[in-house]
Amino acid sequence: VWETQEDDPSARDRVAVWQIDLDDVRAALRFASELQELLPQALFDGRVMRTDVPESLIGGHWWSGRAGAVTLQRRANQVRLVWGSDPDVVEYVGVAAVP
């Protein structure tokens, strides 16, 4: 989890990464599918303006709007979620987090 140190809390940029390692691929598929149903509304308010996954992320799911962006990716038994207030940062961290 990372956050800028702006004096005004509403002006702060933030990004968070969760990686969940499940017991097997089937459990990861089920978990990612259920999580996908909750996103992006569970992490940011506002209208989703883009859902096309940036080429640099190589698959997965992407939601972005004025309130930020969320990407959800599954690789084998790992599910990775990146959320942030700046879509460019979410994309950068999402790419950097992929093994």
Side-chain angles (χ1 to χ4, degrees):
V1 176
W2 172 83
E3 180 177 75
T4 59
Q5 296 298 311
E6 303 297 327
D7 290 335
D8 177 3
S10 65
R12 294 180 184 163
D13 285 326
R14 31 185 86 75
V15 67
V17 180
W18 293 269
Q19 177 175 305
I20 300 99
D21 295 336
L22 291 110
D23 292 335
D24 57 47
V25 173
R26 193 176 338 186
L29 281 166
R30 188 173 53 250
F31 178 71
S33 177
E34 290 174 7
L35 191 56
Q36 182 181 343
E37 294 295 319
L38 299 172
L39 296 174
Q41 294 82 6
L43 294 175
F44 71 76
D45 295 327
R47 190 170 71 107
V48 172
M49 296 169 27
R50 275 190 53 209
T51 58
D52 53 312
V53 180
E55 274 186 42
S56 60
L57 288 174
I58 311 169
H61 301 278
W62 175 269
W63 301 269
S64 67
R66 288 192 182 107
V70 179
T71 184
L72 174 66
Q73 298 174 307
R74 186 198 57 81
R75 302 281 188 273
N77 68 325
Q78 291 182 341
V79 176
R80 193 169 291 134
L81 177 73
V82 181
W83 164 85
S85 53
D86 182 330
D88 291 334
V89 172
V90 170
E91 181 180 356
Y92 178 81
V93 171
V95 170
V98 174

